[in-house]
mmCIF file of all heavy atoms in Angstrom:
data_model
loop_
_atom_site.group_PDB
_atom_site.id
_atom_site.type_symbol
_atom_site.label_atom_id
_atom_site.label_comp_id
_atom_site.label_asym_id
_atom_site.label_seq_id
_atom_site.Cartn_x
_atom_site.Cartn_y
_atom_site.Cartn_z
ATOM 1 N N MET A 24 0.842 -1.198 0.000
ATOM 2 C CA MET A 24 0.000 0.000 0.000
ATOM 3 C C MET A 24 0.873 1.243 0.000
ATOM 4 O O MET A 24 1.868 1.295 0.713
ATOM 5 C CB MET A 24 -0.887 0.014 1.249
ATOM 6 C CG MET A 24 -1.949 -1.074 1.294
ATOM 7 S SD MET A 24 -3.034 -1.044 -0.123
ATOM 8 C CE MET A 24 -3.717 0.594 0.006
ATOM 9 N N PRO A 25 0.496 2.275 -0.765
ATOM 10 C CA PRO A 25 1.218 3.543 -0.662
ATOM 11 C C PRO A 25 0.992 4.155 0.718
ATOM 12 O O PRO A 25 -0.103 4.041 1.264
ATOM 13 C CB PRO A 25 0.606 4.414 -1.760
ATOM 14 C CG PRO A 25 -0.667 3.770 -2.146
ATOM 15 C CD PRO A 25 -0.606 2.330 -1.727
ATOM 16 N N PRO A 26 2.035 4.763 1.316
ATOM 17 C CA PRO A 26 1.863 5.352 2.650
ATOM 18 C C PRO A 26 0.892 6.530 2.635
ATOM 19 O O PRO A 26 0.771 7.229 1.621
ATOM 20 C CB PRO A 26 3.273 5.818 3.023
ATOM 21 C CG PRO A 26 4.034 5.899 1.750
ATOM 22 C CD PRO A 26 3.399 4.948 0.797
ATOM 23 N N LEU A 27 0.191 6.715 3.751
ATOM 24 C CA LEU A 27 -0.742 7.844 3.868
ATOM 25 C C LEU A 27 -0.026 9.115 4.297
ATOM 26 O O LEU A 27 -0.453 10.213 3.941
ATOM 27 C CB LEU A 27 -1.843 7.524 4.885
ATOM 28 C CG LEU A 27 -2.760 6.353 4.545
ATOM 29 C CD1 LEU A 27 -3.798 6.200 5.643
ATOM 30 C CD2 LEU A 27 -3.411 6.528 3.195
ATOM 31 N N ALA A 28 1.068 8.970 5.078
ATOM 32 C CA ALA A 28 1.786 10.141 5.589
ATOM 33 C C ALA A 28 2.227 11.027 4.431
ATOM 34 O O ALA A 28 2.810 10.552 3.458
ATOM 35 C CB ALA A 28 2.996 9.696 6.407
ATOM 36 N N GLY A 29 1.914 12.324 4.560
ATOM 37 C CA GLY A 29 2.345 13.276 3.554
ATOM 38 C C GLY A 29 1.439 13.372 2.336
ATOM 39 O O GLY A 29 1.620 14.269 1.513
ATOM 40 N N ARG A 30 0.451 12.443 2.199
ATOM 41 C CA ARG A 30 -0.521 12.585 1.107
ATOM 42 C C ARG A 30 -1.357 13.824 1.391
ATOM 43 O O ARG A 30 -1.568 14.195 2.541
ATOM 44 C CB ARG A 30 -1.456 11.364 1.047
ATOM 45 C CG ARG A 30 -0.761 10.048 0.767
ATOM 46 C CD ARG A 30 -0.673 9.741 -0.695
ATOM 47 N NE ARG A 30 -1.959 9.364 -1.263
ATOM 48 C CZ ARG A 30 -2.435 8.106 -1.295
ATOM 49 N NH1 ARG A 30 -1.764 7.131 -0.755
ATOM 50 N NH2 ARG A 30 -3.569 7.847 -1.870
ATOM 51 N N SER A 31 -1.905 14.455 0.345
ATOM 52 C CA SER A 31 -2.717 15.643 0.592
ATOM 53 C C SER A 31 -4.008 15.236 1.321
ATOM 54 O O SER A 31 -4.546 14.147 1.096
ATOM 55 C CB SER A 31 -3.052 16.366 -0.713
ATOM 56 O OG SER A 31 -4.119 15.739 -1.382
ATOM 57 N N ALA A 32 -4.476 16.125 2.209
ATOM 58 C CA ALA A 32 -5.701 15.854 2.952
ATOM 59 C C ALA A 32 -6.858 15.651 1.982
ATOM 60 O O ALA A 32 -7.705 14.770 2.190
ATOM 61 C CB ALA A 32 -5.989 17.008 3.919
ATOM 62 N N ALA A 33 -6.912 16.434 0.916
ATOM 63 C CA ALA A 33 -8.003 16.325 -0.058
ATOM 64 C C ALA A 33 -8.022 14.940 -0.697
ATOM 65 O O ALA A 33 -9.091 14.365 -0.931
ATOM 66 C CB ALA A 33 -7.857 17.405 -1.129
ATOM 67 N N ASP A 34 -6.838 14.391 -0.971
ATOM 68 C CA ASP A 34 -6.730 13.069 -1.588
ATOM 69 C C ASP A 34 -7.278 11.998 -0.637
ATOM 70 O O ASP A 34 -8.019 11.102 -1.055
ATOM 71 C CB ASP A 34 -5.247 12.815 -1.906
ATOM 72 C CG ASP A 34 -5.055 11.770 -2.984
ATOM 73 O OD1 ASP A 34 -5.940 11.662 -3.857
ATOM 74 O OD2 ASP A 34 -4.026 11.066 -2.940
ATOM 75 N N ILE A 35 -6.920 12.098 0.650
ATOM 76 C CA ILE A 35 -7.369 11.108 1.636
ATOM 77 C C ILE A 35 -8.882 11.227 1.848
ATOM 78 O O ILE A 35 -9.580 10.214 1.888
ATOM 79 C CB ILE A 35 -6.590 11.271 2.957
ATOM 80 C CG1 ILE A 35 -5.104 10.950 2.723
ATOM 81 C CG2 ILE A 35 -7.170 10.363 4.048
ATOM 82 C CD1 ILE A 35 -4.181 11.282 3.890
ATOM 83 N N VAL A 36 -9.409 12.444 1.923
ATOM 84 C CA VAL A 36 -10.859 12.634 2.066
ATOM 85 C C VAL A 36 -11.582 12.045 0.859
ATOM 86 O O VAL A 36 -12.602 11.359 1.003
ATOM 87 C CB VAL A 36 -11.195 14.144 2.233
ATOM 88 C CG1 VAL A 36 -12.696 14.384 2.079
ATOM 89 C CG2 VAL A 36 -10.722 14.656 3.583
ATOM 90 N N ARG A 37 -11.044 12.269 -0.343
ATOM 91 C CA ARG A 37 -11.661 11.744 -1.572
ATOM 92 C C ARG A 37 -11.682 10.215 -1.552
ATOM 93 O O ARG A 37 -12.708 9.592 -1.873
ATOM 94 C CB ARG A 37 -10.861 12.254 -2.786
ATOM 95 C CG ARG A 37 -11.385 11.778 -4.146
ATOM 96 C CD ARG A 37 -10.471 12.196 -5.292
ATOM 97 N NE ARG A 37 -9.116 11.654 -5.182
ATOM 98 C CZ ARG A 37 -8.779 10.379 -5.405
ATOM 99 N NH1 ARG A 37 -9.710 9.501 -5.752
ATOM 100 N NH2 ARG A 37 -7.522 9.977 -5.282
ATOM 101 N N LEU A 38 -10.561 9.581 -1.149
ATOM 102 C CA LEU A 38 -10.498 8.123 -1.116
ATOM 103 C C LEU A 38 -11.468 7.552 -0.079
ATOM 104 O O LEU A 38 -12.144 6.547 -0.344
ATOM 105 C CB LEU A 38 -9.071 7.666 -0.806
ATOM 106 C CG LEU A 38 -8.124 7.637 -2.006
ATOM 107 C CD1 LEU A 38 -6.667 7.615 -1.546
ATOM 108 C CD2 LEU A 38 -8.408 6.431 -2.889
ATOM 109 N N MET A 39 -11.542 8.192 1.105
ATOM 110 C CA MET A 39 -12.455 7.701 2.140
ATOM 111 C C MET A 39 -13.907 7.811 1.660
ATOM 112 O O MET A 39 -14.715 6.911 1.915
ATOM 113 C CB MET A 39 -12.260 8.483 3.442
ATOM 114 C CG MET A 39 -10.915 8.234 4.118
ATOM 115 S SD MET A 39 -10.704 6.540 4.691
ATOM 116 C CE MET A 39 -11.297 6.691 6.380
ATOM 117 N N ALA A 40 -14.232 8.890 0.948
ATOM 118 C CA ALA A 40 -15.593 9.046 0.415
ATOM 119 C C ALA A 40 -15.869 7.972 -0.640
ATOM 120 O O ALA A 40 -16.973 7.427 -0.710
ATOM 121 C CB ALA A 40 -15.769 10.441 -0.182
ATOM 122 N N ALA A 41 -14.838 7.660 -1.457
ATOM 123 C CA ALA A 41 -15.005 6.635 -2.493
ATOM 124 C C ALA A 41 -15.185 5.253 -1.856
ATOM 125 O O ALA A 41 -15.974 4.441 -2.343
ATOM 126 C CB ALA A 41 -13.802 6.655 -3.432
ATOM 127 N N PHE A 42 -14.491 4.988 -0.741
ATOM 128 C CA PHE A 42 -14.692 3.722 -0.018
ATOM 129 C C PHE A 42 -16.121 3.655 0.504
ATOM 130 O O PHE A 42 -16.799 2.641 0.366
ATOM 131 C CB PHE A 42 -13.721 3.603 1.166
ATOM 132 C CG PHE A 42 -12.316 3.177 0.799
ATOM 133 C CD1 PHE A 42 -11.217 3.885 1.249
ATOM 134 C CD2 PHE A 42 -12.089 2.046 0.035
ATOM 135 C CE1 PHE A 42 -9.919 3.483 0.942
ATOM 136 C CE2 PHE A 42 -10.799 1.631 -0.279
ATOM 137 C CZ PHE A 42 -9.706 2.352 0.176
ATOM 138 N N ARG A 43 -16.582 4.747 1.101
ATOM 139 C CA ARG A 43 -17.948 4.770 1.659
ATOM 140 C C ARG A 43 -18.991 4.560 0.570
ATOM 141 O O ARG A 43 -19.984 3.872 0.770
ATOM 142 C CB ARG A 43 -18.231 6.114 2.358
ATOM 143 C CG ARG A 43 -17.711 6.219 3.756
ATOM 144 C CD ARG A 43 -18.440 7.324 4.539
ATOM 145 N NE ARG A 43 -18.347 8.627 3.904
ATOM 146 C CZ ARG A 43 -17.303 9.443 4.042
ATOM 147 N NH1 ARG A 43 -16.290 9.102 4.803
ATOM 148 N NH2 ARG A 43 -17.287 10.603 3.438
ATOM 149 N N GLY A 44 -18.733 5.159 -0.597
ATOM 150 C CA GLY A 44 -19.697 5.072 -1.693
ATOM 151 C C GLY A 44 -19.597 3.804 -2.509
ATOM 152 O O GLY A 44 -20.394 3.586 -3.421
ATOM 153 N N GLY A 45 -18.568 2.990 -2.229
ATOM 154 C CA GLY A 45 -18.434 1.714 -2.933
ATOM 155 C C GLY A 45 -17.776 1.809 -4.298
ATOM 156 O O GLY A 45 -17.757 0.829 -5.043
ATOM 157 N N THR A 46 -17.216 2.975 -4.648
ATOM 158 C CA THR A 46 -16.570 3.121 -5.962
ATOM 159 C C THR A 46 -15.079 2.801 -5.912
ATOM 160 O O THR A 46 -14.444 2.666 -6.949
ATOM 161 C CB THR A 46 -16.760 4.545 -6.523
ATOM 162 O OG1 THR A 46 -16.278 5.492 -5.568
ATOM 163 C CG2 THR A 46 -18.221 4.830 -6.816
ATOM 164 N N GLN A 47 -14.509 2.688 -4.690
ATOM 165 C CA GLN A 47 -13.089 2.333 -4.531
ATOM 166 C C GLN A 47 -13.032 0.867 -4.097
ATOM 167 O O GLN A 47 -13.609 0.510 -3.069
ATOM 168 C CB GLN A 47 -12.443 3.238 -3.470
ATOM 169 C CG GLN A 47 -10.999 2.929 -3.162
ATOM 170 C CD GLN A 47 -10.024 3.504 -4.185
ATOM 171 O OE1 GLN A 47 -10.412 4.226 -5.085
ATOM 172 N NE2 GLN A 47 -8.763 3.160 -4.050
ATOM 173 N N PRO A 48 -12.372 -0.003 -4.905
ATOM 174 C CA PRO A 48 -12.304 -1.423 -4.522
ATOM 175 C C PRO A 48 -11.690 -1.587 -3.132
ATOM 176 O O PRO A 48 -10.730 -0.890 -2.800
ATOM 177 C CB PRO A 48 -11.379 -2.030 -5.589
ATOM 178 C CG PRO A 48 -11.373 -1.072 -6.731
ATOM 179 C CD PRO A 48 -11.625 0.286 -6.131
ATOM 180 N N ALA A 49 -12.240 -2.487 -2.318
ATOM 181 C CA ALA A 49 -11.792 -2.617 -0.938
ATOM 182 C C ALA A 49 -12.034 -4.025 -0.413
ATOM 183 O O ALA A 49 -12.891 -4.751 -0.918
ATOM 184 C CB ALA A 49 -12.536 -1.611 -0.056
ATOM 185 N N THR A 50 -11.239 -4.395 0.586
ATOM 186 C CA THR A 50 -11.529 -5.593 1.368
ATOM 187 C C THR A 50 -12.150 -5.180 2.704
ATOM 188 O O THR A 50 -13.185 -5.717 3.109
ATOM 189 C CB THR A 50 -10.260 -6.436 1.620
ATOM 190 O OG1 THR A 50 -9.269 -5.631 2.234
ATOM 191 C CG2 THR A 50 -9.718 -6.994 0.312
ATOM 192 N N VAL A 51 -11.480 -4.233 3.378
ATOM 193 C CA VAL A 51 -11.970 -3.792 4.688
ATOM 194 C C VAL A 51 -12.248 -2.291 4.760
ATOM 195 O O VAL A 51 -13.009 -1.844 5.610
ATOM 196 C CB VAL A 51 -10.973 -4.150 5.826
ATOM 197 C CG1 VAL A 51 -10.859 -5.659 5.975
ATOM 198 C CG2 VAL A 51 -9.613 -3.511 5.603
ATOM 199 N N MET A 52 -11.610 -1.507 3.863
ATOM 200 C CA MET A 52 -11.690 -0.054 4.025
ATOM 201 C C MET A 52 -13.074 0.515 3.758
ATOM 202 O O MET A 52 -13.421 1.573 4.297
ATOM 203 C CB MET A 52 -10.649 0.638 3.126
ATOM 204 C CG MET A 52 -9.252 0.669 3.731
ATOM 205 S SD MET A 52 -9.136 1.348 5.403
ATOM 206 C CE MET A 52 -9.788 2.988 5.174
ATOM 207 N N ASP A 53 -13.890 -0.167 2.971
ATOM 208 C CA ASP A 53 -15.264 0.310 2.774
ATOM 209 C C ASP A 53 -15.994 0.309 4.113
ATOM 210 O O ASP A 53 -16.701 1.254 4.468
ATOM 211 C CB ASP A 53 -16.001 -0.536 1.721
ATOM 212 C CG ASP A 53 -15.885 -2.043 1.966
ATOM 213 O OD1 ASP A 53 -15.039 -2.472 2.773
ATOM 214 O OD2 ASP A 53 -16.658 -2.789 1.339
ATOM 215 N N ARG A 54 -15.770 -0.740 4.916
ATOM 216 C CA ARG A 54 -16.439 -0.842 6.219
ATOM 217 C C ARG A 54 -15.834 0.131 7.223
ATOM 218 O O ARG A 54 -16.548 0.742 8.018
ATOM 219 C CB ARG A 54 -16.341 -2.287 6.736
ATOM 220 C CG ARG A 54 -17.277 -3.222 5.972
ATOM 221 C CD ARG A 54 -17.012 -4.665 6.274
ATOM 222 N NE ARG A 54 -15.919 -5.196 5.451
ATOM 223 C CZ ARG A 54 -15.360 -6.379 5.655
ATOM 224 N NH1 ARG A 54 -15.737 -7.141 6.658
ATOM 225 N NH2 ARG A 54 -14.406 -6.801 4.846
ATOM 226 N N ILE A 55 -14.499 0.270 7.192
ATOM 227 C CA ILE A 55 -13.837 1.191 8.125
ATOM 228 C C ILE A 55 -14.261 2.630 7.837
ATOM 229 O O ILE A 55 -14.585 3.394 8.750
ATOM 230 C CB ILE A 55 -12.300 1.038 8.022
ATOM 231 C CG1 ILE A 55 -11.890 -0.322 8.577
ATOM 232 C CG2 ILE A 55 -11.581 2.176 8.758
ATOM 233 C CD1 ILE A 55 -10.469 -0.730 8.250
ATOM 234 N N ALA A 56 -14.275 2.993 6.544
ATOM 235 C CA ALA A 56 -14.595 4.379 6.168
ATOM 236 C C ALA A 56 -16.004 4.764 6.611
ATOM 237 O O ALA A 56 -16.254 5.922 6.972
ATOM 238 C CB ALA A 56 -14.442 4.568 4.657
ATOM 239 N N LYS A 57 -16.921 3.797 6.610
ATOM 240 C CA LYS A 57 -18.308 4.091 7.013
ATOM 241 C C LYS A 57 -18.422 4.412 8.497
ATOM 242 O O LYS A 57 -19.444 4.931 8.945
ATOM 243 C CB LYS A 57 -19.223 2.909 6.671
ATOM 244 C CG LYS A 57 -19.568 2.869 5.190
ATOM 245 C CD LYS A 57 -20.445 1.680 4.841
ATOM 246 C CE LYS A 57 -20.662 1.630 3.330
ATOM 247 N NZ LYS A 57 -20.647 0.260 2.816
ATOM 248 N N GLY A 58 -17.383 4.097 9.284
ATOM 249 C CA GLY A 58 -17.423 4.354 10.722
ATOM 250 C C GLY A 58 -17.088 5.775 11.106
ATOM 251 O O GLY A 58 -17.208 6.143 12.272
ATOM 252 N N PHE A 59 -16.643 6.588 10.126
ATOM 253 C CA PHE A 59 -16.233 7.961 10.441
ATOM 254 C C PHE A 59 -17.187 8.965 9.813
ATOM 255 O O PHE A 59 -17.600 8.802 8.655
ATOM 256 C CB PHE A 59 -14.817 8.242 9.909
ATOM 257 C CG PHE A 59 -13.744 7.408 10.574
ATOM 258 C CD1 PHE A 59 -13.114 6.390 9.878
ATOM 259 C CD2 PHE A 59 -13.371 7.646 11.886
ATOM 260 C CE1 PHE A 59 -12.120 5.621 10.483
ATOM 261 C CE2 PHE A 59 -12.379 6.888 12.503
ATOM 262 C CZ PHE A 59 -11.756 5.869 11.801
ATOM 263 N N SER A 60 -17.510 10.010 10.588
ATOM 264 C CA SER A 60 -18.309 11.113 10.043
ATOM 265 C C SER A 60 -17.430 11.922 9.087
ATOM 266 O O SER A 60 -16.203 11.742 9.038
ATOM 267 C CB SER A 60 -18.794 12.018 11.176
ATOM 268 O OG SER A 60 -17.689 12.713 11.739
ATOM 269 N N GLU A 61 -18.057 12.827 8.355
ATOM 270 C CA GLU A 61 -17.327 13.723 7.437
ATOM 271 C C GLU A 61 -16.291 14.548 8.205
ATOM 272 O O GLU A 61 -15.142 14.675 7.787
ATOM 273 C CB GLU A 61 -18.333 14.635 6.725
ATOM 274 C CG GLU A 61 -17.763 15.375 5.524
ATOM 275 C CD GLU A 61 -17.319 14.424 4.412
ATOM 276 O OE1 GLU A 61 -17.995 13.404 4.166
ATOM 277 O OE2 GLU A 61 -16.274 14.698 3.807
ATOM 278 N N ALA A 62 -16.703 15.104 9.367
ATOM 279 C CA ALA A 62 -15.793 15.934 10.156
ATOM 280 C C ALA A 62 -14.619 15.110 10.684
ATOM 281 O O ALA A 62 -13.474 15.564 10.689
ATOM 282 C CB ALA A 62 -16.546 16.579 11.314
ATOM 283 N N GLU A 63 -14.903 13.864 11.120
ATOM 284 C CA GLU A 63 -13.821 12.995 11.608
ATOM 285 C C GLU A 63 -12.863 12.641 10.481
ATOM 286 O O GLU A 63 -11.641 12.644 10.666
ATOM 287 C CB GLU A 63 -14.419 11.720 12.214
ATOM 288 C CG GLU A 63 -15.060 11.947 13.570
ATOM 289 C CD GLU A 63 -15.927 10.778 14.028
ATOM 290 O OE1 GLU A 63 -16.394 9.982 13.189
ATOM 291 O OE2 GLU A 63 -16.141 10.672 15.245
ATOM 292 N N THR A 64 -13.417 12.349 9.285
ATOM 293 C CA THR A 64 -12.581 12.022 8.134
ATOM 294 C C THR A 64 -11.652 13.188 7.797
ATOM 295 O O THR A 64 -10.459 12.994 7.522
ATOM 296 C CB THR A 64 -13.465 11.684 6.914
ATOM 297 O OG1 THR A 64 -14.300 10.584 7.256
ATOM 298 C CG2 THR A 64 -12.620 11.310 5.704
ATOM 299 N N GLU A 65 -12.187 14.399 7.844
ATOM 300 C CA GLU A 65 -11.368 15.579 7.526
ATOM 301 C C GLU A 65 -10.267 15.767 8.568
ATOM 302 O O GLU A 65 -9.134 16.114 8.225
ATOM 303 C CB GLU A 65 -12.257 16.829 7.436
ATOM 304 C CG GLU A 65 -13.019 16.880 6.119
ATOM 305 C CD GLU A 65 -14.115 17.945 6.091
ATOM 306 O OE1 GLU A 65 -14.082 18.857 6.947
ATOM 307 O OE2 GLU A 65 -14.986 17.846 5.211
ATOM 308 N N ALA A 66 -10.575 15.514 9.846
ATOM 309 C CA ALA A 66 -9.568 15.650 10.908
ATOM 310 C C ALA A 66 -8.471 14.605 10.741
ATOM 311 O O ALA A 66 -7.281 14.905 10.871
ATOM 312 C CB ALA A 66 -10.236 15.528 12.279
ATOM 313 N N ILE A 67 -8.862 13.357 10.433
ATOM 314 C CA ILE A 67 -7.888 12.280 10.227
ATOM 315 C C ILE A 67 -6.993 12.610 9.029
ATOM 316 O O ILE A 67 -5.763 12.474 9.077
ATOM 317 C CB ILE A 67 -8.622 10.932 10.000
ATOM 318 C CG1 ILE A 67 -9.299 10.464 11.291
ATOM 319 C CG2 ILE A 67 -7.654 9.867 9.478
ATOM 320 C CD1 ILE A 67 -10.337 9.366 11.079
ATOM 321 N N ALA A 68 -7.624 13.058 7.924
ATOM 322 C CA ALA A 68 -6.873 13.367 6.701
ATOM 323 C C ALA A 68 -5.867 14.490 6.949
ATOM 324 O O ALA A 68 -4.732 14.433 6.479
ATOM 325 C CB ALA A 68 -7.836 13.747 5.579
ATOM 326 N N ALA A 69 -6.276 15.507 7.715
ATOM 327 C CA ALA A 69 -5.368 16.622 8.017
ATOM 328 C C ALA A 69 -4.185 16.135 8.839
ATOM 329 O O ALA A 69 -3.044 16.565 8.626
ATOM 330 C CB ALA A 69 -6.129 17.720 8.761
ATOM 331 N N TRP A 70 -4.452 15.196 9.755
ATOM 332 C CA TRP A 70 -3.366 14.678 10.589
ATOM 333 C C TRP A 70 -2.362 13.901 9.719
ATOM 334 O O TRP A 70 -1.154 14.138 9.794
ATOM 335 C CB TRP A 70 -3.921 13.786 11.709
ATOM 336 C CG TRP A 70 -2.848 13.334 12.646
ATOM 337 C CD1 TRP A 70 -2.365 14.011 13.737
ATOM 338 C CD2 TRP A 70 -2.088 12.122 12.554
ATOM 339 N NE1 TRP A 70 -1.366 13.279 14.334
ATOM 340 C CE2 TRP A 70 -1.165 12.131 13.632
ATOM 341 C CE3 TRP A 70 -2.085 11.042 11.675
ATOM 342 C CZ2 TRP A 70 -0.249 11.082 13.839
ATOM 343 C CZ3 TRP A 70 -1.176 10.011 11.886
ATOM 344 C CH2 TRP A 70 -0.276 10.043 12.958
ATOM 345 N N TYR A 71 -2.861 12.987 8.875
ATOM 346 C CA TYR A 71 -1.946 12.218 8.008
ATOM 347 C C TYR A 71 -1.173 13.139 7.064
ATOM 348 O O TYR A 71 0.016 12.942 6.837
ATOM 349 C CB TYR A 71 -2.704 11.163 7.200
ATOM 350 C CG TYR A 71 -2.912 9.872 7.947
ATOM 351 C CD1 TYR A 71 -4.194 9.447 8.297
ATOM 352 C CD2 TYR A 71 -1.835 9.068 8.306
ATOM 353 C CE1 TYR A 71 -4.393 8.266 8.997
ATOM 354 C CE2 TYR A 71 -2.032 7.888 8.999
ATOM 355 C CZ TYR A 71 -3.315 7.488 9.340
ATOM 356 O OH TYR A 71 -3.501 6.321 10.030
ATOM 357 N N ALA A 72 -1.849 14.145 6.534
ATOM 358 C CA ALA A 72 -1.191 15.051 5.596
ATOM 359 C C ALA A 72 -0.045 15.806 6.268
ATOM 360 O O ALA A 72 0.920 16.203 5.607
ATOM 361 C CB ALA A 72 -2.214 16.036 5.015
ATOM 362 N N GLY A 73 -0.133 15.984 7.580
ATOM 363 C CA GLY A 73 0.904 16.702 8.314
ATOM 364 C C GLY A 73 2.083 15.850 8.721
ATOM 365 O O GLY A 73 3.063 16.371 9.267
ATOM 366 N N GLN A 74 2.003 14.523 8.491
ATOM 367 C CA GLN A 74 3.116 13.631 8.844
ATOM 368 C C GLN A 74 4.138 13.592 7.724
ATOM 369 O O GLN A 74 3.787 13.707 6.551
ATOM 370 C CB GLN A 74 2.603 12.199 9.098
ATOM 371 C CG GLN A 74 1.501 12.097 10.117
ATOM 372 C CD GLN A 74 1.853 12.742 11.444
ATOM 373 O OE1 GLN A 74 2.848 12.395 12.073
ATOM 374 N NE2 GLN A 74 1.033 13.694 11.868
ATOM 375 N N LYS A 75 5.412 13.378 8.084
ATOM 376 C CA LYS A 75 6.471 13.226 7.058
ATOM 377 C C LYS A 75 6.461 11.821 6.486
ATOM 378 O O LYS A 75 6.159 10.879 7.193
ATOM 379 C CB LYS A 75 7.817 13.511 7.688
ATOM 380 C CG LYS A 75 8.006 14.962 8.074
ATOM 381 C CD LYS A 75 9.491 15.278 8.106
ATOM 382 C CE LYS A 75 9.855 16.579 8.789
ATOM 383 N NZ LYS A 75 9.089 17.738 8.587
HETATM 384 C C1 HEM B 120 -8.094 6.165 10.517
HETATM 385 C C2 HEM B 120 -8.124 4.962 9.970
HETATM 386 C C3 HEM B 120 -7.802 4.673 8.529
HETATM 387 C C4 HEM B 120 -7.651 5.518 7.449
HETATM 388 C C5 HEM B 120 -7.769 7.034 7.392
HETATM 389 C C6 HEM B 120 -7.328 4.686 6.296
HETATM 390 C C7 HEM B 120 -7.120 5.169 5.010
HETATM 391 C C8 HEM B 120 -6.894 4.397 3.899
HETATM 392 C C9 HEM B 120 -6.765 4.884 2.552
HETATM 393 C C10 HEM B 120 -6.843 6.375 2.147
HETATM 394 C C11 HEM B 120 -6.534 3.832 1.757
HETATM 395 C C12 HEM B 120 -6.311 3.886 0.245
HETATM 396 C C13 HEM B 120 -4.824 3.990 -0.081
HETATM 397 C C14 HEM B 120 -4.624 4.108 -1.576
HETATM 398 O O1 HEM B 120 -5.299 3.397 -2.354
HETATM 399 O O2 HEM B 120 -3.770 4.895 -1.997
HETATM 400 C C15 HEM B 120 -6.570 2.631 2.583
HETATM 401 C C16 HEM B 120 -6.452 1.336 2.131
HETATM 402 C C17 HEM B 120 -6.479 0.219 2.916
HETATM 403 N N1 HEM B 120 -6.564 0.190 4.288
HETATM 404 FE FE1 HEM B 120 -6.975 1.773 5.477
HETATM 405 N N2 HEM B 120 -7.280 3.380 6.704
HETATM 406 C C18 HEM B 120 -7.572 3.329 8.049
HETATM 407 C C19 HEM B 120 -7.633 2.198 8.835
HETATM 408 C C20 HEM B 120 -7.374 0.918 8.402
HETATM 409 C C21 HEM B 120 -7.382 -0.267 9.238
HETATM 410 C C22 HEM B 120 -7.678 -0.247 10.737
HETATM 411 C C23 HEM B 120 -7.112 -1.328 8.426
HETATM 412 C C24 HEM B 120 -6.988 -2.794 8.742
HETATM 413 C C25 HEM B 120 -7.570 -3.372 9.766
HETATM 414 C C26 HEM B 120 -6.923 -0.819 7.082
HETATM 415 C C27 HEM B 120 -6.627 -1.589 5.981
HETATM 416 C C28 HEM B 120 -6.547 -1.128 4.698
HETATM 417 C C29 HEM B 120 -6.477 -1.996 3.529
HETATM 418 C C30 HEM B 120 -6.418 -3.516 3.559
HETATM 419 C C31 HEM B 120 -6.444 -1.144 2.412
HETATM 420 C C32 HEM B 120 -6.449 -1.555 0.930
HETATM 421 C C33 HEM B 120 -7.868 -1.452 0.420
HETATM 422 C C34 HEM B 120 -8.736 -2.587 0.976
HETATM 423 O O3 HEM B 120 -8.363 -3.754 0.761
HETATM 424 O O4 HEM B 120 -9.772 -2.304 1.615
HETATM 425 N N3 HEM B 120 -7.080 0.547 7.102
HETATM 426 N N4 HEM B 120 -6.774 2.999 3.886
#
């Protein structure tokens, strides 16, 4: 898997939305993504984007 650290927050939010909507192929991430609200997803994405 490509690392999440340093990816743009917008990219991570887009992927999580695609997992939730079923358009991104997944084994587990479709189910994991559904557990987070929009605000939580944005907070998580901002945190990963800030990592080196
Ligand atoms: C805050 C929690 C998490 C976030 C934000 C997150 C985010 C992501 C993202 C953005 C991808 C897509 C990467 C890409 O295609 O470039 C991904 C894929 C994946 N993640 Fe997560 N993830 C989280 C938790 C987890 C956990 C807990 C597991 C395993 C138990 C997991 C397993 C996977 C797997 C296996 C994939 C490949 C797609 C799939 O088979 O579903 N992730 N994740």
Side-chain angles (χ1 to χ4, degrees):
M24 293 303 301
L27 297 181
R30 298 270 287 272
S31 80
D34 202 30
I35 295 171
V36 168
R37 180 186 61 74
L38 278 162
M39 292 295 268
F42 281 130
R43 278 200 303 277
T46 55
Q47 177 80 6
T50 55
V51 295
M52 278 307 301
D53 50 346
R54 286 169 276 170
I55 291 167
K57 282 179 185 141
F59 295 109
S60 69
E61 194 63 38
E63 286 167 337
T64 301
E65 283 169 17
I67 291 165
W70 185 85
Y71 275 115
Q74 306 306 303
K75 291 205 194 319

